[in-house]
Structures are given as structure tokens and as C-alpha cells.
Amino acid sequence: DLAAAIVYAVDNGAQIINMSWGDPLFSPLIRDVVAYAHGRGCVLVAATGNEGSDLVFFPGSLDETIAVAASGPEGRGLAFSNRGPSIDLAAPGSGILSLAPGGKYGERSGTSMAAAHVSGLAARAVWGGDRPGRCCGDRSSSDRADSGTGNRG
């Protein structure tokens, strides 16, 4: 159950929740657990759907989420990616290497792939790259320069 999974993640210390799923239909239960997670400081990243429509799938349509569309190698939106005013950004979503059944890998495309990219970037921002568990904001400028993960201009 998606709602139970979100509550479990929040209650067990998750700071970033990737929601590479969605639905055109609104769910009051999911809205409530997204508000719960957001209220506890979680970053919520949501796929927007792969129907090529102007309807951003729920929960990506909620203000508490970062709604992610899919872009291609040229940086332009992909035809299958849902679009609309509630989209926050686009990320690579075409030909992304992913796990496949049988322990193999295969290329996948979609806003779920794009949302995973954004979740990964959010994790890097929260944990400061090479030092998991330590927030970027807790690092001095000399510390960032020494670690090689600071501003590269």
C-alpha cells in the first residue's frame, strides 16, 4: 500500500521520497500522507505521467511535491511526458539504463526514470556528495574545497 509505505518511510527517517508512480485520479489518503511527509521535512519527488496529456498525474499535481517531466538528450520535453503548469522541472527520461527481470539491465523511458534522477540529486544535496549523513549546509567552504565536491565554478 502506497500510503503505508510513505508513512513507514517518514517514521523511519526518510528525508527524500521518490514517487515514480502516479494516477490520473485524486486520492484523499495519498494527499494526507504526502502532507504528513512534507510537514516532517521530507522532499517528495513525483513522476508526472506518460500519457502525453496536459494532466499532471497525482500526486505530482500537489504543491508539496517536485513534479518531474521527462526530457530527451537534447533537453527538450518528450512527446509522451505529461505537461502542465504544476510541473516543476524536467530530467532525463529516455533510454535510461535500469534493472530488468532476471538480474539483467535494459533501457527504460518515462517520467519515473526522470523522477529517480531528481531524487538522486536531492540526496546529493542533502548528504553532501561524498559524506553520507552530513548535510551540505553543515560544511565550511574549506571543507567543500578539500573534499572535491564543492562549487566547481
Side-chain angles (χ1 to χ4, degrees), residues 20 33 37-38 54 68 82 88 94 124 134 144 147:
S20 282
V33 297
H38 185 263
D54 293 330
V68 184
N82 289 8
D88 294 300
S94 176
R124 184 161 173 92
R134 189 168 180 190
R144 285 191 300 272
S147 71

Side-chain angles (χ1 to χ4, degrees), residues 7-113:
V7 170
Y8 179 86
V10 173
D11 290 349
N12 284 279
Q15 295 177 325
I16 299 156
I17 298 175
N18 179 56
M19 298 181 289
S20 282
W21 49 268
D23 197 289
L25 301 176
F26 175 81
S27 164
L29 177 61
I30 297 296
R31 178 206 53 214
D32 291 349
V33 297
V34 165
Y36 172 75
H38 185 263
R40 278 149 187 79
C42 289
V43 175
L44 298 135
V45 180
T48 58
N50 302 315
E51 307 297 317
S53 78
D54 293 330
L55 172 71
V56 172
F57 276 17
F58 181 83
S61 57
L62 294 172
D63 289 340
E64 295 89 349
T65 67
I66 299 172
V68 184
S71 63
E74 306 82 28
R76 289 186 284 250
L78 295 168
F80 64 76
S81 183
N82 289 8
R83 54 203 165 273
S86 59
I87 298 221
D88 294 300
L89 51 91
S94 176
I96 307 301
L97 193 61
S98 183
L99 290 174
K104 299 181 184 198
Y105 293 90
E107 288 189 357
R108 304 280 313 254
S109 296
T111 60
S112 291
M113 300 289 111

